[in-house]
Amino acid sequence: MLRLPPTRWTRPPSLDAAVAALGEPGARALAGGTDLVVALKNRTGRPQCLVSLADACPAGIDTGGGGWAIGAATTLWDLERWTAPPSVAAIPEAARSVAAPPIRSRATVGGNLCLDTRCVFYNQSAFWRSGRPPCRKAGGEVCHAVPGGDRCHAVFSADLPPALAAVGARVRVAGPDGERRKDVADLYTGQGLAPLALAAAEVVLSADVPALSGRSGSAFEKIRARRGLDFAAASAAVWVEAGDDGACRSARVVLGAVDSGPVRVARAEEALQGSLLEPEALETAADAARRAARPVKNADFTPAYRRKVVGVAVKRAASRAWQRAVGAREASS
Amino acid sequence: MSVYVGKSVPRRDTRLKATGEARYTADLALPFMLHAAVLRSPYPHARLLRVDTSRAEALPGVRAVITARDASGVKWGVFRYTRDQEFLARDRVRYIGEEIAAVAADTEEIAQEAVALIAVEYERLPAVFDPLDAIADGAPRIHDHAERNINIHVPIHVGDVDAAWDACDHVHTEMTRSEEESYFMTEPYAVLAHCDRQGTVEVWMPNASPHTKAKGLANALELPVSKVHVRHVAIGGAFGGRSDMFPGEYITALLSRKTRRPVRLVYTREENSIAVRQGHSMVVESRFGFKKDGTLHAVDVTCHMDGGAYSSTGPIATSVPFLCFEQTYRVANVRYNGYRVYTNKPIRGMIRTHGRAWACNVDMQLDLAAEALGLDPIEIRLKNALKTGDHTPTQSHIPSMASHETIRAVAEASRFREKWKRLPPWHGIGIGCVSVMSGFPMGIRGGSAAMVKFDEDGGVHLISGVVDNGQGNEGVVLQIAAEALGVPIDQIQLTASATEITPIDQGAYSQATTLVSGNAVRLACEDARRQLFEVAADVLEASAEDLELADGKVFVKGSPARAVPLAKVVRSGLLKGKSVIGHGSFGPNVDQRREWIQNPKGQLSAAFSYGSAVVEVRVDPETGFVDVLDVWASHDCGKAINPKEVEGQMDGGVAMGGHGGILLEALRWHEGANLNTNFLDYKIPLAPDMPPIHNFIVEADDPVGPFGAKEGGLSISMCTAQAYANAIAHAIGTHIREFPHTPDRVLDTIEAREGTEDEAS
Ligand SMILES: Cc1cc2nc3c(=O)[nH]c(=O)nc-3n(C[C@H](O)[C@H](O)[C@H](O)COP(=O)(O)OP(=O)(O)OC[C@H]3O[C@@H](n4cnc5c(N)ncnc54)[C@H](O)[C@@H]3O)c2cc1C
Ligand code: SF4
């Protein structure tokens, strides 16, 4: 069977100790391990030391301060059971769509936020990769997905980030220089090679979700091969807010799994704003999403198909979000 | 009235498997055991210029390194004329994953590290990955002996096909293609081998026929069969993919012989996917001709199967899709040209679904003909289905086959006729039928034998060559033995598989176990009963013919009070020097002159089962996803020895053949490298994906099978595939010619159809 490479392992007792340990060369954060352990077995990452964040990051959903702080160590199993208000319902919905229950019982929010990009030519065993030159993401100079291409197109396929970005969440990050906050969207570089905008030894502490207007709703829609288990072939998270006139006042539309980072689609948002989310508006938003998507041949299904269905995902997420917004408005009036 | 047969008694291994107590090969360990790892070719086609093992040998903890230099050079192939594979590549590698060298070391980590230290100099050769490319002019030649890379050609022609078209009112040609399926057994392949100092070899490994493994291994190791002992072990699935010999067992045995220590080799999931067996991908061209009344009159099929780098079970795999067709629908004129083609891909073997592009092509032709001739899909199948008393074109007599009953069962339960063409938009319903054989001629290894002996306390010990790789074969023979003897199941111990004890058995393939091994067990028990009655006749002062054995007691028929416990009968026998040992031997009535290529005619099998399925679907026209609303499956398995088991096989058949085979499963490739070798990337259906399944067991009581039983389950795996495909076609208004029907293909087909209206008229 595939064996783990010999790797040192530590479990620092505090955040400060963890940040210090992560400052050592070759150190890498370990949360639930559901992605990292596979990478170790495949030898795609070869850290010298794994630094467990078990005692460094908070777990659970903290309701202080007019919003919710979802601790990085919260498992997706717990997050999917959160009875979130309609405005942020996309979050547990996205959590529920990750992998399968046994994996979600270990997988964490922090690990999902910091998930590496994926590619069918990269997420393979060392044996598999030994038959061809290493690709860019593996330190080489070619790309097997887009021969002749000048960048890495590995797919950003974590499910929580689009949902968190759609509801305008921020992340709290700690590092050697202390703590800072930034928008979820700014956590990502959009680069297949190095998708995270984190400095060395920085860890994500929590995702901070704002309390949003009672007239808003959000939803996450994921297209995947199997209901039981699969990464997204395309996904969309949509947040919409109803105005006093009954029309959509503001909207945020974020795509997943169709590029190397989450993709916010301003054109789609414009199409929804001012509309009643009637079919024409949804279709215009879907078209904008299709144009914004940049799938290549390195995940489930053909790129053309993923482009088509990311539009469908936007329509469905938007409709569901709208129902939630309108339903919430009716409930609150 | 049967007491044990026909009851859904829990299997003996259920609790062990559920609690994790069952021991599979990778769980076994022996004192002083070493661990093995294999060096495999990362290239699809290359000459081996130099294999330097010196650095691996020098690594501390390494106990042996072997290459082709250490191997006997005996080649493997199921038939004398298909021996084309050396277990360690000598001068050329032909697929990614082919075995080049192997290491035995103190730990698995050291063994894997050592493998990485073996230096191989390759000369890359041009490679070919598609069967049609491989037979084209100028294609790289993969084996010196195979002109145009054709490995196997099965030619069959019965009647006069060319002359028959004129008599047909509807003639239509279809071309279908399917990608390879993979088995994804839960248990990855593993071998534990121990060559002791007396020169015997003990081996544990998941397998479908311990006796075939023992013989193949004995040949390769150049030992008599008596020196190779294949042992009993829990097995986590086979589905056709454990049927023949693999390099793994030879390599492990050789390492053990060299080190004189036990050696264990455990494959990775990837190795299990690429270096054991895969299903064949294929391109099928068919021409079907029907008369006005719907009678199928002529069929001409040419199929090109991608066989991968070596022969394996080639001639069988090339024939079975055709055979399943000719048993299902009657046709007077038929021609089949099956080509199995060498390519630089992993080796292909038998798989439970036997070619979805083949089977679905047939039922697509039936639906298209029904449409053209103004019949409904049920009518055209009832008209053409073979039934009891018929003969197949290649001259098998069908002793019993409740084809019509299975078709009616699913048609009625699903209310097919009410729904056909009357469902809401994007809904569809479809039917598929298939007949499967219970065994085929396998020469000296085509039969089975069993023995039954008794303990002094009346305990029963059954010895049978039967192998259980998950489907419940051990439970089946236990139920048969209990019934035939009249002794509760709990009182019977079974010794199975272990080759130095059990008699030769055909193994768990070709769907023969229940019929062949089951009959041998039944005969052994009947023989034992006769002997017990002779002994008991004295004790009870009655004539042996008047005795009965039930519930572990021998008694006089009609006066159950005149009874004596089995233990007492056994002891009375022993006192007289008569140890009761029952013996049963069974060979099915098949034509042993039948040969896959040279002589494809004569009685193929002793029994033929039938399965029909109806599937109702709703297609999402925006995404191409298929929602399966209901599956109705009906199976003439002769007699369900254990109905729950048969239902389990039927459910599994729907999952593997239907849901997996038609909606999800396909191997993906990049220049001969398999892209989806793990459970995430290869899409087998999972529990939340499965539809509601309604099973109907039809018991037509086979005249030959033990208590009327024959094959159980494979029919459903195949016919649901056909029903899934037809239901989707009904929903979207056209058939999809590529398998599986993944959402991207479904959506493309819907979009291509919009405007073109190809066949809906
Ligand atoms: C079969 C299978 C299916 C899957 N399906 C999905 C799916 O559908 N959708 C999906 O989104 N994911 C999926 N995953 C990936 C993974 O399980 C999840 O993304 C999970 O949430 C990762 O969390 P973890 O705690 O296990 O992360 P780990 O594996 O421990 O870590 C993942 C990465 O994040 C880094 N990291 C972890 N925590 C922090 C932190 N607090 N600060 C900084 N860096 C950190 C690690 O260094 C590592 O690089 C799947 C995985 C498997 C094996
Ligand atoms: S997109 Fe290209 S460079 Fe990036 S991981 Fe895939 S093959 Fe490698």
Side-chain angles (χ1 to χ4, degrees):
Chain A
M1 63 181 106
L2 283 180
R3 310 298 303 198
L4 283 169
T7 310
R8 277 185 302 120
W9 180 81
T10 103
R11 182 170 169 167
S14 67
L15 175 61
D16 289 347
V19 168
L22 283 168
E24 299 292 318
R28 177 97 178 254
L30 174 73
T34 59
D35 192 63
L36 190 50
V37 170
V38 182
L40 294 176
K41 285 197 161 187
N42 281 339
R43 307 293 193 269
T44 45
R46 288 216 66 170
Q48 278 144 34
C49 180
L50 296 177
V51 179
S52 166
L53 300 182
D55 300 321
C57 292
I61 301 169
D62 187 2
T63 47
W68 301 271
I70 305 171
T74 311
T75 62
L76 301 184
W77 176 273
D78 287 338
L79 185 59
E80 70 183 281
R81 283 164 178 73
W82 177 31
T83 41
S87 59
V88 294
I91 297 171
E93 208 162 50
R96 213 170 294 130
S97 80
V98 173
I103 294 175
R104 292 202 294 274
S105 70
R106 284 204 65 80
T108 67
V109 170
N112 198 270
L113 278 164
C114 300
L115 191 69
D116 198 1
T117 47
R118 299 178 58 83
C119 171
V120 73
F121 302 99
Y122 175 74
N123 297 89
Q124 295 285 356
S125 70
F127 165 73
W128 195 96
R129 287 177 287 115
S130 72
R132 51 201 44 71
C135 74
R136 288 179 199 285
K137 196 164 168 70
E141 268 148 30
V142 297
C143 174
H144 306 300
V146 185
D150 60 352
R151 67 177 185 100
C152 168
H153 300 261
V155 191
F156 181 82
S157 43
D159 291 316
L160 281 183
L164 288 167
V167 302
R170 291 166 71 77
V171 283
R172 192 155 57 95
V173 174
D177 304 328
E179 278 188 32
R180 59 187 176 119
R181 274 195 163 74
K182 54 175 164 180
D183 286 345
V184 166
D186 295 335
L187 187 59
Y188 304 104
T189 62
Q191 304 295 311
L193 278 190
L196 292 175
L198 279 181
E202 276 191 322
V203 297
V204 171
L205 287 183
S206 64
D208 298 343
V209 178
L212 296 161
S213 115
R215 294 164 170 191
S216 69
S218 68
F220 178 74
E221 181 77 18
K222 172 170 171 177
I223 311 280
R224 56 171 161 175
R226 289 169 298 183
R227 232 177 270 164
L229 169 83
D230 268 316
F231 279 99
S235 70
V238 176
W239 173 81
V240 282
E241 185 184 31
D244 295 335
D245 57 354
C248 173
R249 179 159 64 195
S250 43
R252 272 192 293 269
V253 176
V254 186
L255 314 182
V258 287
D259 202 344
S260 299
V263 181
R264 185 148 173 204
V265 192
R267 286 271 161 90
E269 295 170 359
E270 284 159 24
L272 299 179
Q273 279 155 14
S275 82
L276 289 165
L277 278 86
E278 63 278 5
E280 297 72 37
L282 291 171
E283 207 48 65
T284 312
D287 276 341
R290 290 186 185 108
R291 273 195 298 276
R294 293 200 296 173
V296 303
K297 206 172 160 4
N298 63 352
D300 290 345
F301 304 127
T302 60
Y305 176 80
R306 285 162 59 206
R307 185 186 292 281
K308 275 181 221 162
V309 295
V310 81
V312 179
V314 164
K315 286 196 282 183
R316 291 182 182 175
S319 302
R320 203 157 59 238
W322 184 244
Q323 277 161 21
R324 285 178 182 151
V326 177
R329 192 176 60 155
E330 278 161 5
S332 67
S333 61
Chain B
M1 227 6 246
S2 52
V3 182
Y4 307 104
V5 156
K7 300 282 180 315
S8 295
V9 294
R11 272 159 60 167
R12 212 165 263 191
D13 56 353
T14 308
R15 201 190 59 100
L16 296 179
K17 286 180 175 167
T19 56
E21 287 168 85
R23 293 286 172 264
Y24 297 86
T25 303
D27 300 320
L28 304 179
L30 291 173
F32 308 109
M33 183 176 84
L34 299 173
H35 302 263
V38 178
L39 173 73
R40 301 181 178 281
S41 170
Y43 302 122
H45 201 185
R47 225 185 294 284
L48 298 176
L49 301 181
R50 194 176 60 95
V51 180
D52 179 357
T53 57
S54 53
R55 284 179 64 213
E57 277 156 36
L59 186 74
V62 169
R63 305 293 164 176
V65 182
I66 55 169
T67 66
R69 286 190 294 271
D70 304 276
S72 62
V74 172
K75 287 186 178 173
W76 168 251
V78 172
F79 302 93
R80 232 171 257 287
Y81 59 88
T82 61
R83 295 196 179 148
D84 57 4
Q85 183 193 10
E86 275 200 60
F87 288 144
L88 281 162
R90 198 157 293 273
D91 42 28
R92 202 155 140 197
V93 283
R94 296 181 170 87
Y95 72 96
I96 293 178
E98 183 157 2
E99 294 76 4
I100 296 171
V103 175
D106 292 347
T107 67
E108 204 170 4
E109 282 84 353
I110 298 174
Q112 288 178 3
E113 199 185 331
V115 158
L117 294 175
I118 299 173
V120 184
E121 209 177 302
Y122 298 93
E123 179 196 327
R124 300 283 300 269
L125 298 169
V128 61
F129 308 119
D130 177 275
L132 298 184
D133 293 346
I135 59 171
D137 293 338
R141 166 102 53 125
I142 298 171
H143 288 272
D144 295 339
H145 69 265
E147 201 74 46
R148 293 166 77 81
N149 291 315
I150 292 173
N151 164 228
I152 302 290
H153 175 205
V154 173
I156 290 170
H157 192 173
V158 178
D160 187 344
V161 170
D162 295 316
W165 304 118
D166 283 345
C168 296
D169 300 298
H170 166 86
V171 177
H172 181 73
T173 303
E174 269 300 340
M175 169 108 122
T176 46
R177 282 171 178 271
S178 56
E179 281 139 356
E180 320 50 15
E181 311 95 332
S182 191
Y183 309 88
F184 274 82
M185 309 85 170
T186 328
E187 179 196 16
Y189 200 65
V191 187
L192 171 61
H194 180 209
C195 291
D196 68 15
R197 284 167 197 276
Q198 280 86 48
T200 55
V201 190
E202 296 176 277
V203 206
W204 293 258
M205 76 212 124
N207 70 82
S209 173
H211 289 276
T212 308
K213 288 277 194 193
K215 179 66 169 78
L217 202 48
N219 284 359
L221 293 168
E222 300 177 303
L223 287 174
V225 184
S226 62
K227 296 239 177 213
V228 178
H229 303 326
V230 175
R231 302 278 192 212
H232 181 270
V233 66
I235 299 173
F239 312 109
R242 301 286 188 229
S243 295
D244 60 318
M245 292 290 298
F246 311 127
E249 51 260 25
Y250 175 69
I251 286 171
T252 316
L254 204 59
L255 285 168
S256 173
R257 180 189 267 183
K258 204 164 172 189
T259 56
R260 301 220 160 259
R261 286 169 67 170
V263 178
R264 192 179 71 194
L265 172 64
V266 181
Y267 277 17
T268 62
R269 181 53 64 185
E270 180 180 25
E271 287 178 301
N272 192 65
S273 294
I274 63 171
V276 183
R277 291 291 178 265
Q278 302 180 331
H280 291 75
S281 61
M282 58 185 73
V283 183
V284 183
E285 221 184 317
S286 77
R287 198 166 147 85
F288 274 54
F290 292 81
K291 302 234 173 138
K292 221 183 269 132
D293 66 352
T295 305
L296 179 56
H297 186 60
V299 167
D300 192 355
V301 175
T302 303
C303 172
H304 286 91
M305 303 171 70
D306 182 345
Y310 296 99
S311 289
S312 176
T313 51
I316 310 176
T318 314
S319 305
V320 170
F322 168 79
L323 297 171
C324 291
F325 156 69
E326 68 150 17
Q327 296 167 206
T328 307
Y329 299 121
R330 214 176 298 110
V331 60
N333 304 285
V334 60
R335 179 163 53 206
Y336 174 51
N337 281 293
Y339 298 93
R340 186 178 187 273
V341 181
Y342 286 127
T343 64
N344 293 109
K345 281 157 91 186
I347 308 166
R348 279 69 203 276
M350 309 293 286
I351 193 161
R352 195 190 193 186
T353 38
H354 293 300
R356 39 200 170 164
W358 221 121
C360 296
N361 189 308
V362 171
D363 273 65
M364 180 195 305
Q365 284 278 14
L366 259 85
D367 270 16
L368 294 175
E371 184 69 35
L373 299 168
L375 302 165
D376 79 31
I378 307 295
E379 245 175 300
I380 199 163
R381 286 174 174 78
L382 288 172
K383 179 156 224 91
N384 290 296
L386 264 87
K387 50 181 194 277
T388 307
D390 281 346
H391 283 81
T392 66
T394 65
Q395 300 172 17
S396 287
H397 168 248
I398 309 282
S400 165
M401 184 147 96
S403 50
H404 285 208
E405 290 81 342
T406 67
I407 296 173
R408 290 208 177 93
V410 289
E412 280 162 24
S414 64
R415 297 187 289 121
F416 188 98
R417 283 186 158 129
E418 285 167 49
K419 291 175 181 171
W420 179 245
K421 299 204 165 168
R422 293 200 193 99
L423 289 172
W426 306 110
H427 284 239
I429 191 162
I431 180 168
C433 303
V434 88
S435 165
V436 168
M437 66 295 284
S438 296
F440 39 63
M442 281 190 280
I444 57 163
R445 236 177 298 283
S448 180
M451 286 175 279
V452 56
K453 65 189 185 79
F454 297 85
D455 298 326
E456 59 191 78
D457 61 357
V460 181
H461 205 111
L462 174 66
I463 298 165
S464 156
V466 69
V467 58
D468 189 333
N469 33 47
Q471 68 282 76
N473 286 340
E474 293 186 357
V476 164
V477 295
L478 280 167
Q479 278 181 261
I480 289 173
E483 189 68 43
L485 266 180
V487 169
I489 298 172
D490 295 347
Q491 239 165 286
I492 308 175
Q493 283 306 313
L494 174 66
T495 294
S497 306
T499 55
E500 78 276 39
I501 302 167
T502 67
I504 289 184
D505 176 274
Q506 81 292 326
Y509 37 69
S510 78
Q511 304 76 245
T513 293
T514 301
L515 186 118
V516 177
S517 313
N519 261 327
V521 166
R522 177 182 60 84
L523 291 168
C525 293
E526 286 171 3
D527 182 36
R529 247 165 96 102
R530 251 190 319 274
Q531 296 180 39
L532 290 167
F533 290 167
E534 274 167 30
V535 176
D538 285 353
V539 184
L540 286 167
E541 295 176 347
S543 127
E545 296 86 73
D546 293 337
L547 297 183
E548 189 55 75
L549 172 50
D551 213 11
K553 287 193 200 76
V554 179
F555 58 91
V556 180
K557 275 181 205 154
S559 38
R562 279 177 71 194
V564 52
L566 183 57
K568 183 145 188 228
V569 180
V570 171
R571 296 168 82 103
S572 317
L574 289 172
L575 276 177
K576 292 186 210 150
K578 164 94 186 133
S579 179
V580 173
I581 299 180
H583 172 255
S585 189
F586 183 83
N589 176 24
V590 295
D591 190 340
Q592 294 290 5
R593 288 163 306 181
R594 190 173 173 128
E595 205 287 327
W596 303 96
I597 297 172
Q598 295 305 323
N599 188 38
K601 59 177 192 287
Q603 189 70 27
L604 175 79
S605 180
F608 300 85
S609 59
Y610 210 90
S612 299
V614 167
V615 171
E616 191 174 338
V617 301
R618 179 176 55 216
V619 175
D620 181 338
E622 281 191 310
T623 61
F625 272 84
V626 176
D627 201 2
V628 183
L629 304 175
D630 275 296
V631 175
W632 296 266
S634 166
H635 188 8
D636 168 20
C637 60
K639 164 87 192 168
I641 302 283
N642 184 323
K644 258 266 149 345
E645 278 292 301
V646 174
E647 282 174 25
Q649 287 294 311
M650 293 171 78
D651 289 351
V654 173
M656 188 165 178
H659 210 91
I662 300 305
L663 300 182
L664 294 165
E665 296 182 36
L667 291 176
R668 306 274 177 222
W669 301 94
H670 176 68
E671 297 165 359
N674 198 167
L675 285 166
N676 53 344
T677 61
N678 63 44
F679 270 114
L680 173 61
D681 296 324
Y682 185 83
K683 316 290 183 192
I684 60 165
L686 302 168
D689 301 299
M690 288 303 294
I693 301 170
H694 313 280
N695 288 321
F696 302 88
I697 295 174
V698 173
E699 297 186 316
D701 269 336
D702 191 83
V704 183
F707 302 100
K710 54 190 175 188
E711 180 268 329
L714 180 64
S715 303
I716 299 306
S717 167
M718 295 183 70
C719 71
T720 42
Q722 298 149 249
Y724 264 72
N726 281 342
I728 295 168
H730 185 213
I732 67 173
T734 183
H735 279 92
I736 304 173
R737 270 85 186 172
E738 289 182 312
F739 298 87
H741 296 352
T742 45
D744 43 356
R745 283 184 177 150
V746 176
L747 197 58
D748 281 348
T749 311
I750 292 173
E751 288 175 358
R753 196 186 122 70
E754 270 157 18
T756 60
E757 295 300 333
D758 71 338
E759 67 189 70
S761 52

